Amino acid sequence: MRGATHAKWAALAVAVALTATACGGGDDGGGGGADGIVSSSWGDPQNPLEPANTNEVQGGKVLSMIFRGLKQYDPKTGAANDMLAEKIETTDSTNFTITVKQGWTFSNGEAVTANSFVDAWNYGASLKNNQKNASFFGQIEGYDQVHPEKGEPTAETMSGLKVVDPQTFTVKLTQKFSTWPDTLGYAAFAPLPQAFFDDHAAWLNKPIGNGPYTVSSYAKGSQMELVRWDEYPGDDKAQNGGVTLKVYTDNNTAYTDLTAGNLDLVDDVPASQLKNVQADLGDRYINVPAGIIQTLGFPFYDPAWNKPGQEKLRQGISRAINRQQITDTIFQKTRTPAVDWTSPVLGADGGFKDICGDFCKYDPAAAKQLVQEGGGIPGGTMKISYNADTGSHKEWVDAVCNSINNALGNNTACVGNPIGTFADFRSQVSTQKMPGPFRAGWQMDYPLIQNFLQPLYYTDASSNDGKYTDPEFDKLVDQANAESDIAKAVETFQQAEEVLRDDMGAIPLWYQNGSAGYSDRVSNVTLNPFSVPVYDQIKVN
């Protein structure tokens, strides 16, 4: 996940792609019981596992096991509950006093204090440290001095952070933000031990956190071994002896290993196996709603894709996609056609609403007319880029292109553009090198409408990979963030979403369920609302 210039919320960007290679045995670690080891499919993280530098799902899975922050999101509801926060107090939604619980330590024995948070946040915000999620701290006073838009920093630390005593610190924001405390369960806000700063290279090689697990070893391209930390002081202690995350280039291979008894958990069942999964796994198959949306992004940084009137082109492309047919035939009830840019898990009160309207309804005649009115497809053929290291993306990209080509009566209007690995794909996306539309998506950090909009579409947001910008959208987001009335804030966010719709800043495709399968060697396997396994609660039989 990523944030925005004023971002307070951002998420493990949905790059649910498994990377590298391995085969493994589900019996790793010997026997079962509380000391048994769970083996699970995984992909190498894009970046080192610094909390403020991890903004994709695979790295986020590890951070969720080795860190605990001020807040922790409920594994069933996603609600932001106090974890290390004894209390978070405010009288004006701008100035906050945070009291950190006593008795918490990092796995190396260091106490978790107010400084553990303040130092970590200042590190994450600093331009000098080049952290992907720096803008998560953008609402704190003084951020513009440690992370200026241009030039060198004029301060080492943010003026809005003050340590009062070993367990207390204060935060001053640049504007009212009534729900800011709810963002503090996101990994970017995790505390860091002094060891992180004393020997940064050693810490990166073997991260030290304060969560239920510690990192035992990591071989890039192969696996990461995490073991239970027996002195962990939290209530959510690990119910197993550890988790071995095995890297896979292809999630079909992971699924084959699962059904062969060589792997305990696959948390992304490939589309090609959905027709078999019920027969293969029975009640060991999980298919539950999740806060995930898949979209098509556009390279607004490319003049060929950012001309006046091209909103009609994007609207036409959207109308040329037969979402219902694709979700029925390829995804077999694990996707639902999108009608907005959020997720049904928000509910009507949380902001879920059919805002896309006709622009998300399949209509070949309307699609053809809109594309023509929008100047036609740049260069005559558009390439939809995706990472080719899983079996899932090629199928739906080909289906989307077939739908577009059929609707427009042009067999060369759309083609898929596979890019080798997820890391390569993300590298090209994040450096603005896409030759046309590209697969995109979002996995929420917490069930708030803001999390689906600001990190992705606010000007210069760090997850705004297509560089979409609209001053009216930005203004409405700022107004919504400052609104103390939650219902009014949701309404204002929806107005911003209407601006996004009229621009068709990204094309909503479908909402994604959490999909997983597990072996008969483990039990108590669940996915949280973010579609991430609740690893610490898995039991080895």
CSV table of all heavy atoms in Angstrom, one decimal, residues 382-430:
chain,number,residue,atom,x,y,z
A,382,MET,N,-4.0,-0.7,-28.1
A,382,MET,CA,-3.5,-0.5,-26.7
A,382,MET,C,-3.0,-1.8,-26.1
A,382,MET,O,-3.6,-2.9,-26.4
A,382,MET,CB,-4.7,0.1,-25.9
A,382,MET,CG,-5.8,-0.8,-25.6
A,382,MET,SD,-7.0,0.0,-24.5
A,382,MET,CE,-7.9,-1.4,-23.9
A,383,LYS,N,-2.0,-1.7,-25.4
A,383,LYS,CA,-1.4,-2.9,-24.7
A,383,LYS,C,-1.7,-2.8,-23.2
A,383,LYS,O,-1.4,-1.8,-22.5
A,383,LYS,CB,0.1,-2.9,-24.9
A,383,LYS,CG,0.6,-2.9,-26.3
A,383,LYS,CD,2.1,-2.9,-26.4
A,383,LYS,CE,2.6,-3.0,-27.8
A,383,LYS,NZ,4.1,-2.9,-27.9
A,384,ILE,N,-2.4,-3.9,-22.7
A,384,ILE,CA,-2.6,-4.0,-21.3
A,384,ILE,C,-1.5,-4.8,-20.6
A,384,ILE,O,-1.3,-6.0,-20.9
A,384,ILE,CB,-4.0,-4.7,-21.0
A,384,ILE,CG1,-5.1,-3.9,-21.6
A,384,ILE,CG2,-4.2,-4.9,-19.5
A,384,ILE,CD1,-6.5,-4.5,-21.3
A,385,SER,N,-0.7,-4.1,-19.8
A,385,SER,CA,0.5,-4.7,-19.2
A,385,SER,C,0.1,-5.4,-17.9
A,385,SER,O,-0.8,-5.0,-17.2
A,385,SER,CB,1.5,-3.7,-18.9
A,385,SER,OG,2.0,-3.1,-20.1
A,386,TYR,N,0.8,-6.6,-17.7
A,386,TYR,CA,0.5,-7.4,-16.5
A,386,TYR,C,1.8,-8.2,-16.2
A,386,TYR,O,2.6,-8.4,-17.1
A,386,TYR,CB,-0.7,-8.3,-16.6
A,386,TYR,CG,-0.6,-9.3,-17.7
A,386,TYR,CD1,-0.2,-10.6,-17.4
A,386,TYR,CD2,-0.9,-9.0,-19.0
A,386,TYR,CE1,0.0,-11.6,-18.4
A,386,TYR,CE2,-0.8,-10.0,-20.0
A,386,TYR,CZ,-0.3,-11.2,-19.7
A,386,TYR,OH,-0.2,-12.2,-20.7
A,387,ASN,N,1.9,-8.6,-15.0
A,387,ASN,CA,3.1,-9.5,-14.7
A,387,ASN,C,2.7,-11.0,-15.1
A,387,ASN,O,1.6,-11.4,-14.8
A,387,ASN,CB,3.5,-9.5,-13.2
A,387,ASN,CG,2.3,-9.7,-12.3
A,387,ASN,OD1,1.4,-8.9,-12.2
A,387,ASN,ND2,2.4,-10.8,-11.5
A,388,ALA,N,3.6,-11.6,-15.7
A,388,ALA,CA,3.3,-13.0,-16.3
A,388,ALA,C,3.8,-14.1,-15.4
A,388,ALA,O,3.7,-15.3,-15.8
A,388,ALA,CB,4.0,-13.1,-17.6
A,389,ASP,N,4.2,-13.8,-14.1
A,389,ASP,CA,4.7,-14.9,-13.3
A,389,ASP,C,3.6,-15.6,-12.5
A,389,ASP,O,3.9,-16.2,-11.5
A,389,ASP,CB,5.8,-14.4,-12.4
A,389,ASP,CG,5.4,-13.2,-11.6
A,389,ASP,OD1,4.3,-12.7,-11.7
A,389,ASP,OD2,6.3,-12.8,-10.8
A,390,THR,N,2.4,-15.4,-12.8
A,390,THR,CA,1.3,-16.2,-12.2
A,390,THR,C,0.4,-16.7,-13.3
A,390,THR,O,0.4,-16.1,-14.4
A,390,THR,CB,0.5,-15.5,-11.2
A,390,THR,OG1,-0.5,-14.7,-11.9
A,390,THR,CG2,1.3,-14.6,-10.3
A,391,GLY,N,-0.4,-17.7,-13.1
A,391,GLY,CA,-1.3,-18.2,-14.1
A,391,GLY,C,-2.6,-17.5,-14.2
A,391,GLY,O,-3.4,-17.7,-15.1
A,392,SER,N,-2.8,-16.5,-13.3
A,392,SER,CA,-4.1,-15.8,-13.2
A,392,SER,C,-4.3,-14.7,-14.2
A,392,SER,O,-5.4,-14.5,-14.8
A,392,SER,CB,-4.3,-15.3,-11.8
A,392,SER,OG,-4.2,-16.4,-10.9
A,393,HIS,N,-3.3,-13.8,-14.4
A,393,HIS,CA,-3.5,-12.6,-15.1
A,393,HIS,C,-3.7,-12.7,-16.6
A,393,HIS,O,-4.5,-12.0,-17.2
A,393,HIS,CB,-2.4,-11.6,-14.8
A,393,HIS,CG,-2.3,-11.3,-13.3
A,393,HIS,ND1,-3.3,-10.9,-12.5
A,393,HIS,CD2,-1.2,-11.4,-12.5
A,393,HIS,CE1,-2.9,-10.8,-11.3
A,393,HIS,NE2,-1.6,-11.0,-11.2
A,394,LYS,N,-3.0,-13.6,-17.2
A,394,LYS,CA,-3.1,-13.8,-18.7
A,394,LYS,C,-4.5,-14.1,-19.1
A,394,LYS,O,-5.0,-13.5,-20.1
A,394,LYS,CB,-2.1,-14.9,-19.2
A,394,LYS,CG,-2.3,-15.1,-20.7
A,394,LYS,CD,-1.3,-16.2,-21.2
A,394,LYS,CE,-1.6,-16.6,-22.6
A,394,LYS,NZ,-1.8,-15.6,-23.5
A,395,GLU,N,-5.2,-14.9,-18.3
A,395,GLU,CA,-6.5,-15.3,-18.7
A,395,GLU,C,-7.5,-14.2,-18.8
A,395,GLU,O,-8.2,-14.0,-19.7
A,395,GLU,CB,-7.0,-16.4,-17.8
A,395,GLU,CG,-6.3,-17.8,-17.9
A,395,GLU,CD,-6.9,-18.8,-17.0
A,395,GLU,OE1,-8.0,-19.3,-17.2
A,395,GLU,OE2,-6.2,-19.1,-15.9
A,396,TRP,N,-7.5,-13.4,-17.7
A,396,TRP,CA,-8.5,-12.3,-17.7
A,396,TRP,C,-8.1,-11.1,-18.6
A,396,TRP,O,-9.0,-10.5,-19.2
A,396,TRP,CB,-8.8,-11.8,-16.3
A,396,TRP,CG,-7.7,-11.1,-15.5
A,396,TRP,CD1,-6.9,-11.5,-14.5
A,396,TRP,CD2,-7.4,-9.7,-15.7
A,396,TRP,NE1,-6.1,-10.5,-14.1
A,396,TRP,CE2,-6.4,-9.4,-14.7
A,396,TRP,CE3,-7.9,-8.6,-16.4
A,396,TRP,CZ2,-5.9,-8.1,-14.6
A,396,TRP,CZ3,-7.4,-7.4,-16.3
A,396,TRP,CH2,-6.4,-7.1,-15.4
A,397,VAL,N,-6.8,-10.9,-18.7
A,397,VAL,CA,-6.4,-9.8,-19.6
A,397,VAL,C,-6.7,-10.2,-21.1
A,397,VAL,O,-7.3,-9.4,-21.8
A,397,VAL,CB,-4.8,-9.6,-19.5
A,397,VAL,CG1,-4.4,-8.7,-20.7
A,397,VAL,CG2,-4.5,-8.9,-18.2
A,398,ASP,N,-6.5,-11.4,-21.5
A,398,ASP,CA,-6.9,-11.9,-22.8
A,398,ASP,C,-8.4,-11.8,-23.0
A,398,ASP,O,-8.9,-11.4,-24.0
A,398,ASP,CB,-6.5,-13.3,-23.0
A,398,ASP,CG,-5.0,-13.5,-23.3
A,398,ASP,OD1,-4.3,-12.5,-23.4
A,398,ASP,OD2,-4.5,-14.6,-23.2
A,399,ALA,N,-9.2,-12.1,-21.9
A,399,ALA,CA,-10.7,-12.0,-22.0
A,399,ALA,C,-11.1,-10.6,-22.1
A,399,ALA,O,-12.0,-10.2,-22.9
A,399,ALA,CB,-11.3,-12.7,-20.8
A,400,VAL,N,-10.5,-9.7,-21.4
A,400,VAL,CA,-10.8,-8.2,-21.5
A,400,VAL,C,-10.5,-7.7,-22.9
A,400,VAL,O,-11.3,-7.0,-23.5
A,400,VAL,CB,-10.0,-7.4,-20.4
A,400,VAL,CG1,-10.1,-5.9,-20.7
A,400,VAL,CG2,-10.6,-7.7,-19.0
A,401,CYS,N,-9.4,-8.1,-23.4
A,401,CYS,CA,-9.0,-7.6,-24.8
A,401,CYS,C,-10.0,-8.2,-25.8
A,401,CYS,O,-10.4,-7.5,-26.7
A,401,CYS,CB,-7.6,-8.0,-25.1
A,401,CYS,SG,-6.4,-6.9,-24.4
A,402,ASN,N,-10.4,-9.5,-25.7
A,402,ASN,CA,-11.3,-10.1,-26.6
A,402,ASN,C,-12.7,-9.3,-26.5
A,402,ASN,O,-13.3,-9.1,-27.6
A,402,ASN,CB,-11.5,-11.5,-26.3
A,402,ASN,CG,-10.4,-12.4,-26.7
A,402,ASN,OD1,-9.6,-12.0,-27.5
A,402,ASN,ND2,-10.2,-13.6,-26.0
A,403,SER,N,-13.1,-9.0,-25.3
A,403,SER,CA,-14.3,-8.2,-25.1
A,403,SER,C,-14.2,-6.9,-25.8
A,403,SER,O,-15.2,-6.4,-26.5
A,403,SER,CB,-14.7,-8.1,-23.7
A,403,SER,OG,-15.9,-7.4,-23.5
A,404,ILE,N,-13.1,-6.2,-25.6
A,404,ILE,CA,-12.9,-4.8,-26.2
A,404,ILE,C,-12.9,-5.0,-27.7
A,404,ILE,O,-13.5,-4.2,-28.4
A,404,ILE,CB,-11.7,-4.2,-25.6
A,404,ILE,CG1,-11.8,-3.8,-24.2
A,404,ILE,CG2,-11.3,-2.9,-26.4
A,404,ILE,CD1,-10.6,-3.4,-23.5
A,405,ASN,N,-12.1,-5.9,-28.2
A,405,ASN,CA,-12.0,-6.1,-29.7
A,405,ASN,C,-13.3,-6.4,-30.3
A,405,ASN,O,-13.7,-5.9,-31.4
A,405,ASN,CB,-11.0,-7.2,-30.0
A,405,ASN,CG,-9.6,-6.8,-29.6
A,405,ASN,OD1,-9.3,-5.6,-29.4
A,405,ASN,ND2,-8.7,-7.7,-29.5
A,406,ASN,N,-14.1,-7.3,-29.7
A,406,ASN,CA,-15.4,-7.6,-30.2
A,406,ASN,C,-16.4,-6.4,-30.2
A,406,ASN,O,-17.1,-6.2,-31.2
A,406,ASN,CB,-16.0,-8.8,-29.4
A,406,ASN,CG,-15.3,-10.1,-29.7
A,406,ASN,OD1,-14.6,-10.3,-30.7
A,406,ASN,ND2,-15.4,-11.0,-28.7
A,407,ALA,N,-16.3,-5.7,-29.1
A,407,ALA,CA,-17.2,-4.5,-29.0
A,407,ALA,C,-16.9,-3.5,-30.1
A,407,ALA,O,-17.8,-2.8,-30.6
A,407,ALA,CB,-17.2,-3.9,-27.6
A,408,LEU,N,-15.6,-3.3,-30.3
A,408,LEU,CA,-15.2,-2.2,-31.2
A,408,LEU,C,-15.1,-2.7,-32.7
A,408,LEU,O,-14.9,-1.9,-33.6
A,408,LEU,CB,-13.8,-1.7,-30.8
A,408,LEU,CG,-13.8,-1.0,-29.4
A,408,LEU,CD1,-12.4,-0.5,-29.1
A,408,LEU,CD2,-14.8,0.0,-29.2
A,409,GLY,N,-15.3,-4.0,-32.9
A,409,GLY,CA,-15.2,-4.6,-34.2
A,409,GLY,C,-13.8,-4.4,-34.8
A,409,GLY,O,-13.6,-4.2,-36.0
A,410,ASN,N,-12.8,-4.6,-33.9
A,410,ASN,CA,-11.4,-4.4,-34.3
A,410,ASN,C,-10.5,-5.4,-33.6
A,410,ASN,O,-10.3,-5.3,-32.4
A,410,ASN,CB,-10.9,-3.0,-34.1
A,410,ASN,CG,-9.5,-2.7,-34.4
A,410,ASN,OD1,-8.8,-3.6,-34.9
A,410,ASN,ND2,-9.1,-1.5,-34.3
A,411,ASN,N,-10.0,-6.4,-34.3
A,411,ASN,CA,-9.3,-7.5,-33.6
A,411,ASN,C,-7.9,-7.1,-33.1
A,411,ASN,O,-7.2,-7.9,-32.4
A,411,ASN,CB,-9.1,-8.7,-34.5
A,411,ASN,CG,-10.4,-9.4,-34.7
A,411,ASN,OD1,-11.3,-9.4,-33.9
A,411,ASN,ND2,-10.5,-10.1,-35.9
A,412,THR,N,-7.4,-5.9,-33.4
A,412,THR,CA,-6.1,-5.4,-33.0
A,412,THR,C,-6.3,-4.2,-32.1
A,412,THR,O,-5.2,-3.6,-31.8
A,412,THR,CB,-5.2,-5.1,-34.2
A,412,THR,OG1,-5.8,-4.0,-34.9
A,412,THR,CG2,-5.0,-6.3,-35.1
A,413,ALA,N,-7.4,-3.9,-31.6
A,413,ALA,CA,-7.6,-2.7,-30.7
A,413,ALA,C,-6.9,-2.9,-29.4
A,413,ALA,O,-6.4,-2.0,-28.8
A,413,ALA,CB,-9.1,-2.4,-30.5
A,414,CYS,N,-6.9,-4.2,-28.9
A,414,CYS,CA,-6.3,-4.5,-27.6
A,414,CYS,C,-5.5,-5.8,-27.6
A,414,CYS,O,-6.0,-6.8,-28.2
A,414,CYS,CB,-7.5,-4.5,-26.6
A,414,CYS,SG,-7.0,-4.9,-24.9
A,415,VAL,N,-4.4,-5.7,-27.0
A,415,VAL,CA,-3.6,-6.9,-26.8
A,415,VAL,C,-3.0,-7.0,-25.4
A,415,VAL,O,-2.8,-5.9,-24.8
A,415,VAL,CB,-2.4,-7.0,-27.9
A,415,VAL,CG1,-3.0,-7.1,-29.3
A,415,VAL,CG2,-1.5,-5.8,-27.7
A,416,GLY,N,-2.7,-8.1,-24.9
A,416,GLY,CA,-2.0,-8.3,-23.6
A,416,GLY,C,-0.5,-8.0,-23.8
A,416,GLY,O,0.1,-8.3,-24.8
A,417,ASN,N,0.1,-7.5,-22.7
A,417,ASN,CA,1.5,-7.2,-22.7
A,417,ASN,C,2.2,-7.8,-21.5
A,417,ASN,O,2.3,-7.1,-20.5
A,417,ASN,CB,1.8,-5.6,-22.8
A,417,ASN,CG,3.2,-5.3,-22.8
A,417,ASN,OD1,4.0,-5.9,-23.5
A,417,ASN,ND2,3.6,-4.3,-22.0
A,418,PRO,N,2.5,-9.0,-21.5
A,418,PRO,CA,3.1,-9.7,-20.4
A,418,PRO,C,4.5,-9.2,-20.0
A,418,PRO,O,5.3,-9.0,-20.9
A,418,PRO,CB,3.1,-11.2,-20.8
A,418,PRO,CG,3.2,-11.2,-22.3
A,418,PRO,CD,2.4,-10.0,-22.7
A,419,ILE,N,4.7,-8.9,-18.7
A,419,ILE,CA,6.0,-8.5,-18.2
A,419,ILE,C,6.5,-9.6,-17.3
A,419,ILE,O,5.8,-10.0,-16.4
A,419,ILE,CB,6.0,-7.2,-17.6
A,419,ILE,CG1,5.6,-6.1,-18.6
A,419,ILE,CG2,7.3,-6.8,-16.9
A,419,ILE,CD1,5.3,-4.7,-18.0
A,420,GLY,N,7.7,-10.1,-17.5
A,420,GLY,CA,8.2,-11.3,-16.8
A,420,GLY,C,7.8,-11.6,-15.4
A,420,GLY,O,7.1,-12.5,-15.1
A,421,THR,N,8.3,-10.7,-14.4
A,421,THR,CA,8.0,-11.0,-13.0
A,421,THR,C,7.3,-9.9,-12.4
A,421,THR,O,7.2,-8.7,-12.9
A,421,THR,CB,9.3,-11.2,-12.2
A,421,THR,OG1,10.1,-10.0,-12.2
A,421,THR,CG2,10.2,-12.3,-12.9
A,422,PHE,N,6.7,-10.1,-11.2
A,422,PHE,CA,6.0,-9.1,-10.5
A,422,PHE,C,7.0,-7.9,-10.2
A,422,PHE,O,6.6,-6.8,-10.3
A,422,PHE,CB,5.4,-9.7,-9.2
A,422,PHE,CG,4.9,-8.7,-8.3
A,422,PHE,CD1,3.9,-7.8,-8.6
A,422,PHE,CD2,5.5,-8.5,-7.0
A,422,PHE,CE1,3.4,-6.8,-7.8
A,422,PHE,CE2,5.0,-7.6,-6.1
A,422,PHE,CZ,4.0,-6.7,-6.5
A,423,ALA,N,8.2,-8.3,-9.8
A,423,ALA,CA,9.1,-7.2,-9.4
A,423,ALA,C,9.4,-6.3,-10.6
A,423,ALA,O,9.5,-5.1,-10.5
A,423,ALA,CB,10.4,-7.8,-8.9
A,424,ASP,N,9.6,-7.0,-11.8
A,424,ASP,CA,9.9,-6.2,-13.0
A,424,ASP,C,8.7,-5.3,-13.4
A,424,ASP,O,8.8,-4.2,-13.8
A,424,ASP,CB,10.2,-7.1,-14.2
A,424,ASP,CG,11.5,-7.9,-14.1
A,424,ASP,OD1,12.4,-7.4,-13.3
A,424,ASP,OD2,11.7,-8.9,-14.7
A,425,PHE,N,7.5,-5.9,-13.3
A,425,PHE,CA,6.3,-5.2,-13.5
A,425,PHE,C,6.1,-4.0,-12.6
A,425,PHE,O,5.9,-2.9,-13.1
A,425,PHE,CB,5.1,-6.1,-13.4
A,425,PHE,CG,3.7,-5.5,-13.5
A,425,PHE,CD1,3.2,-5.0,-14.7
A,425,PHE,CD2,3.0,-5.3,-12.3
A,425,PHE,CE1,2.0,-4.4,-14.8
A,425,PHE,CE2,1.7,-4.7,-12.4
A,425,PHE,CZ,1.2,-4.2,-13.6
A,426,ARG,N,6.3,-4.2,-11.3
A,426,ARG,CA,6.1,-3.1,-10.4
A,426,ARG,C,7.2,-2.0,-10.6
A,426,ARG,O,7.0,-0.8,-10.5
A,426,ARG,CB,6.2,-3.6,-8.9
A,426,ARG,CG,5.0,-4.2,-8.4
A,426,ARG,CD,3.8,-3.3,-8.5
A,426,ARG,NE,4.1,-2.0,-7.8
A,426,ARG,CZ,3.3,-0.9,-8.0
A,426,ARG,NH1,2.2,-1.0,-8.7
A,426,ARG,NH2,3.6,0.2,-7.4
A,427,SER,N,8.4,-2.5,-11.0
A,427,SER,CA,9.5,-1.5,-11.3
A,427,SER,C,9.1,-0.6,-12.4
A,427,SER,O,9.3,0.6,-12.4
A,427,SER,CB,10.8,-2.2,-11.6
A,427,SER,OG,11.8,-1.3,-11.9
A,428,GLN,N,8.5,-1.2,-13.5
A,428,GLN,CA,8.1,-0.4,-14.6
A,428,GLN,C,6.9,0.5,-14.3
A,428,GLN,O,6.8,1.7,-14.8
A,428,GLN,CB,7.8,-1.3,-15.8
A,428,GLN,CG,9.0,-2.0,-16.4
A,428,GLN,CD,8.7,-2.8,-17.6
A,428,GLN,OE1,7.9,-2.4,-18.5
A,428,GLN,NE2,9.4,-3.9,-17.8
A,429,VAL,N,6.0,0.0,-13.5
A,429,VAL,CA,4.8,0.8,-13.1
A,429,VAL,C,5.3,2.0,-12.3
A,429,VAL,O,4.8,3.1,-12.5
A,429,VAL,CB,3.8,-0.1,-12.3
A,429,VAL,CG1,2.8,0.8,-11.7
A,429,VAL,CG2,3.1,-1.1,-13.3
A,430,SER,N,6.1,1.7,-11.3
A,430,SER,CA,6.5,2.8,-10.4
A,430,SER,C,7.4,3.8,-10.9
A,430,SER,O,7.6,4.9,-10.4
A,430,SER,CB,7.1,2.2,-9.1
A,430,SER,OG,8.2,1.4,-9.4
